[in-house]
Amino acid sequence: MFNKPAPKPVNGPAGVTSELASSTAAAGEASRNRPRPASLLAQNLVLEGSIQSDSEVQIDGLIRGDVRVEKLAIGETGRVEGQITAETAEVRGRVVGGIMAKQVRLYGTASVEGDITAEQLAIEPGASFEGRSVKLQRPKPASPSATPSASPQA
């Protein structure tokens, strides 16, 4: 009635069937394309040390250390005392330290004491920013070497 199907025999020198290998490859591909959930650092959290992640992080507590993430959101109660490096940074709370990101947005409740290096910077009315704003310069691709002129063939 409740019989378990018999396991398929394992073939091949490494003990992996081609079926298993292809399903594992498909699962790996799907996990790369699947959106990763954001990490939330709660309001009552105090963390002393650096954070590094290749996904999104929301900070509502206090971080004393550097933050290096893909996407950063600092809530109204969030504070970071350290350097921030991200692709995108949205600040509603307080930052004491520099921010380096492709896109930075300071909302009306934001307070930043430090330099901001970004390709795009948006500052809403009410936000406080003390520091320098520097345009992020992406390295230019190497210019192609001089191509020899085409010689006419006779």
Side-chain angles (χ1 to χ4, degrees):
M1 181 172 181
F2 295 105
N3 291 337
K4 226 179 186 181
K8 292 185 180 180
V10 176
N11 301 329
V16 176
T17 64
S18 61
E19 237 176 73
L20 180 60
S22 64
S23 68
T24 303
E29 183 67 29
S31 69
R32 281 188 291 254
N33 294 336
R34 186 178 328 143
R36 291 174 242 150
S39 297
L40 173 64
L41 304 174
Q43 182 175 353
N44 58 354
L45 177 78
V46 176
L47 181 94
E48 297 198 14
S50 297
I51 295 176
Q52 184 168 346
S53 175
D54 61 354
S55 61
E56 182 177 351
V57 174
Q58 164 127 5
I59 298 173
D60 289 329
L62 169 61
I63 306 300
R64 289 188 183 116
D66 296 341
V67 177
R68 179 181 291 270
V69 296
E70 183 73 23
K71 182 177 180 184
L72 177 65
I74 301 174
E76 289 185 21
T77 60
R79 292 186 329 190
V80 174
E81 297 173 1
Q83 298 297 312
I84 295 172
T85 305
E87 279 293 310
T88 29
E90 297 179 347
V91 181
R92 291 176 176 82
R94 181 170 169 78
V95 175
V96 178
I99 301 173
M100 179 181 287
K102 184 176 179 181
Q103 297 176 342
V104 177
R105 183 174 189 96
L106 304 182
Y107 288 85
T109 57
S111 172
V112 176
E113 294 178 28
D115 296 343
I116 297 176
T117 304
E119 281 185 24
Q120 298 175 1
L121 173 61
I123 303 175
E124 287 187 354
S128 170
F129 170 45
E130 294 181 36
R132 294 180 305 149
S133 172
V134 179
K135 176 91 169 153
L136 179 64
Q137 298 294 327
R138 296 245 178 204
K140 293 182 180 178
S143 61
S145 25
T147 55
S149 58
S151 58
Q153 292 184 1

